Amino acid sequence: MNNRTSVVLLLGAIAASVEAFAPASSSVRVRPTPATSCDCRCGSTEASLFRWRKRRQDAVAADARPITPKEDDDQEEEMEQSQNSRRSFLSATATAATATAATASLPMRTYAAGDKQLNLSDDDLKQIILADIVDKRFLVSADITRSVYDESATFTDEIDVYTMDKWIKGTKQLFIPSGSRVSLVGDVDVSPSEVSFRFDEDLMFNIPFKPVCSLTGKVVLTRDENTGLITSYREFWDQSVNDVLKTAKFGKKA
């Protein structure tokens, strides 16, 4: 769904790899793309040469026709197709994990204009956002006080822009609140134009092995000048997606 979705996609691929192809590889690829490393090519070539040499020995012993280079090429092609099938499987698994988070069907309340808390003072809005962060832990639970958000509010990261309903549904599916930790760093700053705060959190992802990733960052909520409602949510991470992934711990509650 956002930066977090990128991480869960990557972790989904790792988890699928561990389950389907034990023992797990110690090398983590950011995207399931066709292998281009020298190690992969060398391993495939060495295996092919070994089988070719064995077949030749068997053929000589049985006075049979030697294996031709073309047949050996066919064997290499079969091996590569098998490897591609594994990569395709991992890619499909990771994509399915993301699709589940993005399309989960959860009942959502329809809000009317009268449900909104218009033109709240900075202090009143600050108390609401503080409660959402500290008590509701909305960064992992998605339990926001919806009455202070405009229904057209967007939730944005470096990848895409999402509607409020999609962000709520996705967040509820992606994380396990009971295994996550969310800490407010410093205070919540509120002005007539925006709300901002910093956070430090450990996110437990709702995928096999329940990996936990640690990160810090900042959230900026933009307010409408006429209504005082929040019209956009923007989350900034201090670390890159790859750096966040490196902090992953499996099966450990935050």
Side-chain angles (χ1 to χ4, degrees):
M1 46 167 280
N2 46 30
N3 258 342
R4 302 180 182 186
T5 301
S6 300
V7 174
V8 85
L9 186 151
L10 296 172
L11 291 172
I14 296 171
S17 177
V18 172
E19 288 185 309
F21 309 115
S25 168
S26 61
S27 174
V28 179
R29 289 187 182 276
V30 176
R31 281 199 192 95
T33 56
T36 59
S37 69
C38 178
D39 290 341
C40 180
R41 291 179 180 174
C42 290
S44 177
T45 302
E46 288 171 0
S48 179
L49 288 174
F50 174 79
R51 284 193 301 275
W52 183 72
R53 190 182 308 114
K54 183 67 169 59
R55 291 199 304 272
R56 288 204 60 177
Q57 292 172 350
D58 292 343
V60 171
D63 196 24
R65 177 180 62 84
I67 302 299
T68 67
K70 181 179 184 305
E71 290 172 323
D72 187 62
D73 290 341
D74 292 341
Q75 287 290 335
E76 288 192 52
E77 183 177 350
E78 289 177 5
M79 275 195 66
E80 181 151 355
Q81 288 176 347
S82 175
Q83 292 169 347
N84 286 337
S85 295
R86 289 188 176 192
R87 288 193 293 271
S88 298
F89 171 79
L90 293 178
S91 177
T93 302
T95 302
T98 304
T100 299
T103 61
S105 177
L106 296 175
M108 301 300 296
R109 176 186 170 190
T110 300
Y111 276 72
D115 295 321
K116 300 301 180 180
Q117 300 186 62
L118 304 177
N119 298 311
L120 289 175
S121 68
D122 292 352
D123 187 62
D124 286 344
L125 181 58
K126 177 178 180 177
Q127 296 309 312
I128 291 173
I129 299 301
L130 269 172
D132 284 358
I133 300 168
V134 178
D135 300 330
K136 299 180 181 179
R137 301 193 299 166
F138 84 97
L139 291 177
V140 293
S141 68
D143 291 335
I144 60 175
T145 300
R146 189 160 180 160
S147 59
V148 300
Y149 287 79
D150 191 288
E151 284 302 298
S152 63
T154 55
F155 290 70
T156 307
D157 59 21
E158 291 81 0
I159 300 172
D160 208 343
V161 181
Y162 309 92
T163 64
M164 182 159 50
D165 282 347
K166 286 185 178 180
W167 182 85
I168 293 174
K169 292 177 182 179
T171 299
K172 286 182 178 294
Q173 287 296 306
L174 285 175
F175 306 115
I176 301 176
S178 61
S180 301
R181 176 189 63 83
V182 178
S183 298
L184 175 65
V185 178
D187 202 1
V188 176
D189 297 319
V190 182
S191 72
S193 59
E194 70 175 34
V195 179
S196 64
F197 61 88
R198 293 192 58 79
F199 62 85
D200 179 357
E201 59 187 6
D202 298 320
L203 304 174
M204 178 175 279
F205 290 95
N206 188 25
I207 61 175
F209 301 103
K210 304 296 186 290
V212 177
C213 288
S214 302
L215 67 147
T216 60
K218 178 180 180 180
V219 170
V220 176
L221 308 172
T222 303
R223 302 177 69 184
D224 182 89
E225 294 180 358
N226 296 319
T227 64
L229 296 176
I230 296 169
T231 57
S232 74
Y233 167 106
R234 183 68 190 266
E235 185 173 319
F236 302 91
W237 288 10
D238 295 332
Q239 305 84 10
S240 68
V241 173
N242 286 342
D243 288 339
V244 171
L245 180 60
K246 292 175 184 177
T247 69
K249 297 178 179 63
F250 293 85
K252 185 175 181 180
K253 185 175 179 180

